[in-house]
Amino acid sequence: MRKGVLWVVLALLGVVLAIGTALMLRITRPAPELSNLPSPAIAASPSPTAVSPQPELPAAPFPEISAKARNLDIPIIMYHDVKPVKDVDWDITPDHLAKHFQTIQEKGLTPITLEQLVQHLRTGATLPPKPILLTFDDNYLGEYEYAFPLLKQYNYPAVWSVHTHYVGSQAGKPKATWEQLQEMVQSGLITVASHTVNHLRLDTLSPEKVTYELQESKRVLEQNLGVPIQYFTYPEGDFIESVKQKVTEAGYLAALSMSLDAQVECVANKSDDLLSIMRFGQSRFEEIVGAIANRG
């Protein structure tokens, strides 16, 4: 009898010990690492600063200018070398250029990029008030030394037309180097346009030479600057229809022209098409800008 009671007591003690051990393990077991737990799914919410993209406007058939862009007069001013003492009439002094920029600011004009202009001419897309485009031809060192600092001071964008064979040349009127061009491109203010390889009049060359001047200059600029070259500037402004076709085939989206005839010069929106966008020489700056500013 005593042995039977003893066995019962021992069995009960075993049960009690087992239950106690289990409870202790549960209490002292470490909590699982949060990083090992699956994350709960969270519904995506729109960013408070996100702006819904505006629908793209239909573009006129290339290279036509959209009818929606014909009513806004947009002057393009063409500059060449910038020097304290001018070598030729179409040079400009740093002081005179600074006055041009001050006038732009005082008259409430807004310098735009070539990309903005082309998009507007293609679709009629909205532009800032009183838009104007500034362009500098031939990559003169004086443009880098005097015009570029002024552009940075005013935060004005501009177009740089570069003929690749002469980059860094010190003969005659010195040209800016590849390093200086890279600096200007990296500033975000300068759009480089091809101005051919050798700055030859394209309307006098064979089709094969025209193709070379257009394609090789584009290739070299893109290789050295690391940006797409989408725009072209005709040397001397001269072209014929076959050259315009070559410009398209080379992959350019638009081309800038010029004329020495004041009767031919006109605002960008009254140009024939995107492959012959007309500009004004800097000597007519006061006349053209004054007329645009006075229209309110």
Side-chain angles (χ1 to χ4, degrees):
M1 182 66 181
R2 290 180 180 176
K3 289 183 179 181
V5 173
L6 181 61
W7 282 112
V8 171
V9 171
L10 290 174
L12 290 173
L13 285 174
V15 172
V16 171
L17 287 173
I19 293 172
T21 302
L23 289 173
M24 290 298 295
L25 287 173
R26 186 172 182 180
I27 292 170
T28 59
R29 182 178 297 156
E33 294 288 340
L34 292 178
S35 59
N36 294 330
L37 293 177
S39 299
I42 300 175
S45 57
S47 168
T49 59
V51 179
S52 301
Q54 296 182 354
E56 291 188 6
L57 297 173
F62 184 84
E64 294 179 16
I65 292 176
S66 171
K68 297 177 182 178
R70 290 294 188 180
N71 294 326
L72 178 61
D73 288 346
I74 308 168
I76 305 177
I77 307 299
M78 174 183 60
Y79 296 97
H80 286 83
D81 205 357
V82 186
K83 301 192 68 175
V85 179
K86 300 199 304 182
D87 293 326
V88 291
D89 287 342
W90 52 87
D91 289 346
I92 189 170
T93 66
D95 287 344
H96 196 181
L97 181 62
K99 289 179 181 178
H100 281 195
F101 286 11
Q102 185 176 359
T103 298
I104 289 172
Q105 185 179 67
E106 291 174 350
K107 298 290 186 180
L109 276 69
T110 308
I112 60 173
T113 66
L114 184 49
E115 180 182 5
Q116 286 177 294
L117 172 68
V118 171
Q119 185 65 12
H120 171 77
L121 295 180
R122 291 181 68 246
T123 68
T126 302
L127 286 177
K130 299 180 183 178
I132 185 173
L133 180 64
L134 307 175
T135 70
F136 292 82
D137 284 13
D138 300 336
N139 188 38
Y140 291 112
L141 181 61
E143 294 171 336
Y144 168 78
E145 292 179 332
Y146 298 106
F148 181 49
L150 280 171
L151 290 167
K152 289 192 293 183
Q153 176 183 336
Y154 282 85
N155 198 35
Y156 287 168
V159 179
W160 233 250
S161 299
V162 179
H163 32 44
T164 55
H165 178 71
Y166 299 98
V167 173
S169 171
Q170 297 302 303
K173 293 170 79 69
K175 307 297 191 296
T177 65
W178 285 115
E179 290 75 16
Q180 290 164 337
L181 281 169
Q182 290 165 359
E183 177 189 349
M184 290 189 283
V185 169
Q186 290 168 5
S187 74
L189 293 175
I190 304 302
T191 298
V192 170
S194 166
H195 205 26
T196 73
V197 176
N198 296 296
H199 200 264
L200 302 172
R201 283 183 49 167
L202 298 181
D203 58 343
T204 66
L205 302 181
S206 68
E208 294 75 19
K209 288 184 178 179
V210 171
T211 297
Y212 171 79
E213 292 287 333
L214 294 170
Q215 294 184 356
E216 180 65 6
S217 58
K218 188 176 193 295
R219 183 192 69 80
V220 171
L221 287 168
E222 290 179 342
Q223 180 180 10
N224 283 276
L225 300 178
V227 294
I229 302 300
Q230 299 178 307
Y231 308 108
F232 181 74
T233 303
Y234 297 102
E236 311 296 335
D238 292 306
F239 60 88
I240 51 180
E241 288 302 315
S242 61
V243 170
K244 289 169 66 174
Q245 181 60 35
K246 293 282 189 184
V247 171
T248 300
E249 292 170 358
Y252 297 102
L253 302 180
L256 301 175
S257 186
M258 58 162 284
S259 177
L260 298 177
D261 184 349
Q263 299 301 315
V264 175
E265 292 181 329
C266 65
V267 286
N269 50 296
K270 291 188 169 56
S271 302
D272 289 339
D273 54 38
L274 293 174
L275 297 174
S276 54
I277 302 174
M278 188 55 64
R279 300 178 290 169
F280 294 99
Q282 58 88 9
S283 62
R284 299 187 65 188
F285 175 87
E286 285 82 3
E287 168 197 352
I288 301 304
V289 168
I292 296 294
N294 290 336
R295 291 177 189 174

Coordinates of all heavy atoms in Angstrom, one line a residue, residues 56-94:
E56 N 0.8 64.8 -74.2 CA 1.6 65.4 -75.2 C 0.7 66.0 -76.3 O -0.3 65.4 -76.7 CB 2.5 64.3 -75.8 CG 3.6 63.8 -74.9 CD 4.5 62.9 -75.6 OE1 4.4 62.7 -76.8 OE2 5.4 62.3 -74.9
L57 N 1.1 67.2 -76.8 CA 0.4 67.8 -77.9 C 0.8 67.2 -79.2 O 1.9 66.8 -79.4 CB 0.7 69.3 -77.9 CG 0.3 70.1 -76.7 CD1 0.9 71.5 -76.8 CD2 -1.2 70.1 -76.5
P58 N -0.1 67.0 -80.1 CA 0.2 66.5 -81.4 C 1.2 67.4 -82.2 O 1.0 68.6 -82.2 CB -1.1 66.4 -82.1 CG -2.0 67.4 -81.4 CD -1.6 67.4 -80.0
A59 N 2.2 66.8 -82.8 CA 3.2 67.5 -83.5 C 2.8 67.7 -85.0 O 2.2 66.8 -85.5 CB 4.5 66.9 -83.4
A60 N 3.2 68.8 -85.6 CA 3.0 68.9 -87.0 C 3.9 68.0 -87.7 O 4.9 67.6 -87.2 CB 3.3 70.4 -87.4
P61 N 3.5 67.5 -88.9 CA 4.4 66.6 -89.7 C 5.8 67.2 -89.9 O 5.9 68.4 -90.3 CB 3.7 66.5 -91.0 CG 2.3 66.8 -90.7 CD 2.3 67.9 -89.7
F62 N 6.8 66.4 -89.6 CA 8.2 66.9 -89.7 C 8.5 67.2 -91.1 O 8.2 66.5 -92.0 CB 9.2 65.9 -89.1 CG 10.6 66.3 -89.1 CD1 11.1 67.1 -88.1 CD2 11.5 66.0 -90.1 CE1 12.4 67.5 -88.0 CE2 12.8 66.4 -90.1 CZ 13.3 67.2 -89.1
P63 N 9.2 68.4 -91.4 CA 9.7 69.4 -90.5 C 8.9 70.7 -90.4 O 9.4 71.7 -90.2 CB 11.1 69.7 -91.1 CG 10.8 69.7 -92.6 CD 9.8 68.6 -92.8
E64 N 7.6 70.5 -90.6 CA 6.7 71.7 -90.6 C 6.6 72.3 -89.2 O 6.8 71.7 -88.2 CB 5.3 71.3 -91.0 CG 5.2 70.8 -92.5 CD 3.7 70.4 -92.8 OE1 2.8 70.8 -92.0 OE2 3.5 69.7 -93.8
I65 N 6.3 73.6 -89.2 CA 6.1 74.3 -87.9 C 4.6 74.3 -87.7 O 3.8 74.6 -88.6 CB 6.6 75.8 -88.0 CG1 8.2 75.7 -88.1 CG2 6.2 76.6 -86.8 CD1 8.8 77.1 -88.3
S66 N 4.2 74.0 -86.4 CA 2.8 73.9 -86.1 C 2.1 75.2 -86.2 O 2.7 76.3 -85.9 CB 2.7 73.4 -84.6 OG 1.3 73.5 -84.2
A67 N 0.9 75.2 -86.7 CA 0.1 76.4 -86.9 C -0.1 77.1 -85.5 O -0.3 78.3 -85.4 CB -1.3 76.1 -87.5
K68 N -0.1 76.3 -84.4 CA -0.3 76.8 -83.1 C 0.9 77.7 -82.6 O 0.8 78.4 -81.7 CB -0.5 75.7 -82.1 CG -1.7 74.9 -82.3 CD -1.8 73.7 -81.3 CE -3.0 72.8 -81.6 NZ -3.0 71.7 -80.6
A69 N 2.1 77.5 -83.3 CA 3.3 78.3 -82.9 C 3.5 79.5 -83.8 O 4.5 80.2 -83.5 CB 4.5 77.3 -83.0
R70 N 2.7 79.8 -84.7 CA 2.9 80.9 -85.7 C 2.6 82.2 -85.1 O 3.1 83.3 -85.6 CB 2.1 80.7 -86.9 CG 2.5 79.5 -87.8 CD 3.9 79.7 -88.4 NE 4.3 78.7 -89.4 CZ 5.4 78.7 -90.0 NH1 6.3 79.6 -89.8 NH2 5.7 77.7 -90.9
N71 N 1.9 82.3 -84.0 CA 1.5 83.6 -83.5 C 2.5 84.2 -82.4 O 2.3 85.4 -82.1 CB 0.1 83.6 -82.9 CG -0.9 83.2 -84.0 OD1 -0.8 83.7 -85.1 ND2 -1.9 82.5 -83.6
L72 N 3.4 83.4 -81.9 CA 4.2 83.9 -80.8 C 5.6 84.2 -81.4 O 6.4 83.3 -81.8 CB 4.4 82.9 -79.7 CG 5.3 83.3 -78.5 CD1 4.8 84.5 -77.8 CD2 5.4 82.1 -77.6
D73 N 6.0 85.5 -81.5 CA 7.2 85.9 -82.1 C 8.4 85.6 -81.2 O 8.4 86.1 -80.0 CB 7.2 87.4 -82.4 CG 6.3 87.7 -83.6 OD1 6.0 86.7 -84.4 OD2 6.0 88.9 -83.9
I74 N 9.3 84.8 -81.6 CA 10.5 84.4 -80.8 C 11.8 84.7 -81.5 O 12.1 84.1 -82.5 CB 10.5 82.9 -80.6 CG1 9.1 82.4 -80.0 CG2 11.6 82.5 -79.6 CD1 8.9 81.0 -80.0
P75 N 12.5 85.8 -81.1 CA 13.7 86.1 -81.8 C 14.9 85.2 -81.3 O 14.9 84.8 -80.2 CB 14.0 87.6 -81.3 CG 13.3 87.6 -80.0 CD 12.1 86.7 -80.0
I76 N 15.7 84.9 -82.3 CA 17.0 84.2 -81.9 C 18.1 85.1 -82.3 O 18.2 85.6 -83.4 CB 17.1 82.9 -82.8 CG1 15.9 82.0 -82.6 CG2 18.4 82.2 -82.4 CD1 15.9 80.8 -83.4
I77 N 19.0 85.4 -81.3 CA 20.1 86.3 -81.5 C 21.4 85.5 -81.7 O 21.7 84.6 -81.0 CB 20.3 87.3 -80.3 CG1 19.0 88.0 -80.0 CG2 21.4 88.3 -80.6 CD1 18.4 88.9 -81.1
M78 N 22.1 85.9 -82.8 CA 23.3 85.2 -83.2 C 24.6 86.0 -82.8 O 24.7 87.1 -83.3 CB 23.3 84.9 -84.7 CG 24.6 84.2 -85.2 SD 24.5 84.0 -87.0 CE 24.3 85.7 -87.6
Y79 N 25.4 85.4 -82.0 CA 26.7 86.1 -81.6 C 27.9 85.3 -82.2 O 27.8 84.1 -82.4 CB 26.8 86.2 -80.1 CG 25.8 87.0 -79.4 CD1 24.7 86.4 -78.8 CD2 26.0 88.4 -79.3 CE1 23.7 87.2 -78.2 CE2 25.0 89.2 -78.6 CZ 23.9 88.6 -78.1 OH 23.0 89.3 -77.4
H80 N 29.0 86.0 -82.3 CA 30.2 85.3 -82.7 C 31.3 85.6 -81.6 O 31.0 85.5 -80.4 CB 30.7 85.8 -84.1 CG 29.9 85.1 -85.1 ND1 28.7 85.6 -85.6 CD2 30.1 84.0 -85.9 CE1 28.2 84.9 -86.5 NE2 29.0 83.9 -86.7
D81 N 32.5 86.0 -81.9 CA 33.5 86.2 -80.9 C 33.2 87.3 -80.0 O 32.6 88.3 -80.4 CB 34.9 86.4 -81.6 CG 36.1 86.0 -80.7 OD1 35.8 85.5 -79.6 OD2 37.2 86.0 -81.2
V82 N 33.7 87.2 -78.7 CA 33.5 88.2 -77.7 C 34.9 88.6 -77.3 O 35.7 87.8 -76.7 CB 32.8 87.7 -76.5 CG1 32.5 88.8 -75.5 CG2 31.4 87.0 -76.9
K83 N 35.3 89.9 -77.6 CA 36.7 90.4 -77.3 C 36.6 91.8 -76.8 O 35.8 92.6 -77.2 CB 37.5 90.3 -78.6 CG 37.6 88.9 -79.2 CD 38.7 88.9 -80.3 CE 40.0 89.1 -79.7 NZ 41.1 88.9 -80.7
P84 N 37.6 92.1 -75.9 CA 37.7 93.5 -75.4 C 37.9 94.5 -76.6 O 37.4 95.6 -76.5 CB 38.8 93.5 -74.5 CG 38.9 92.1 -74.0 CD 38.5 91.3 -75.2
V85 N 38.6 94.1 -77.6 CA 38.8 94.9 -78.8 C 38.4 94.1 -80.0 O 38.9 93.0 -80.2 CB 40.3 95.3 -79.0 CG1 40.5 96.2 -80.2 CG2 40.8 96.2 -77.8
K86 N 37.4 94.5 -80.7 CA 36.8 93.7 -81.8 C 37.8 93.6 -82.9 O 38.4 94.5 -83.3 CB 35.5 94.3 -82.3 CG 34.4 94.4 -81.2 CD 33.0 94.6 -81.8 CE 32.9 95.8 -82.7 NZ 31.5 96.0 -83.2
D87 N 37.8 92.4 -83.5 CA 38.6 92.2 -84.7 C 37.8 92.5 -86.0 O 38.4 93.0 -87.0 CB 39.1 90.7 -84.8 CG 40.0 90.3 -83.7 OD1 40.9 91.1 -83.4 OD2 40.0 89.1 -83.3
V88 N 36.5 92.2 -85.9 CA 35.6 92.4 -87.1 C 34.3 93.0 -86.6 O 34.0 92.9 -85.3 CB 35.4 91.1 -87.9 CG1 36.6 90.6 -88.6 CG2 34.9 90.0 -86.9
D89 N 33.5 93.5 -87.5 CA 32.3 94.1 -87.0 C 31.3 93.2 -86.3 O 30.6 93.7 -85.4 CB 31.5 94.7 -88.3 CG 32.2 95.9 -88.8 OD1 33.0 96.5 -88.1 OD2 32.0 96.3 -90.0
W90 N 31.3 91.9 -86.6 CA 30.3 91.0 -86.0 C 30.8 90.5 -84.6 O 30.2 89.7 -84.0 CB 29.9 89.9 -86.9 CG 31.0 89.1 -87.5 CD1 31.7 88.1 -87.0 CD2 31.6 89.4 -88.8 NE1 32.7 87.6 -87.9 CE2 32.6 88.4 -89.0 CE3 31.4 90.4 -89.8 CZ2 33.4 88.4 -90.2 CZ3 32.2 90.3 -91.0 CH2 33.2 89.3 -91.1
D91 N 32.0 90.9 -84.2 CA 32.4 90.6 -82.8 C 31.6 91.5 -81.9 O 31.0 92.5 -82.3 CB 33.9 90.9 -82.6 CG 34.8 89.8 -83.3 OD1 34.3 88.8 -83.7 OD2 36.0 90.1 -83.4
I92 N 31.7 91.2 -80.6 CA 31.0 92.1 -79.6 C 32.0 92.1 -78.4 O 32.6 91.2 -78.1 CB 29.6 91.5 -79.2 CG1 28.9 92.5 -78.4 CG2 29.7 90.2 -78.5 CD1 27.4 92.2 -78.2
T93 N 32.0 93.3 -77.7 CA 32.8 93.4 -76.5 C 32.1 92.9 -75.3 O 30.8 92.8 -75.3 CB 33.2 94.9 -76.3 OG1 32.0 95.6 -75.9 CG2 33.8 95.5 -77.5
P94 N 32.8 92.4 -74.3 CA 32.2 91.9 -73.1 C 31.2 93.0 -72.5 O 30.1 92.6 -72.0 CB 33.3 91.6 -72.1 CG 34.5 91.4 -73.0 CD 34.3 92.3 -74.2

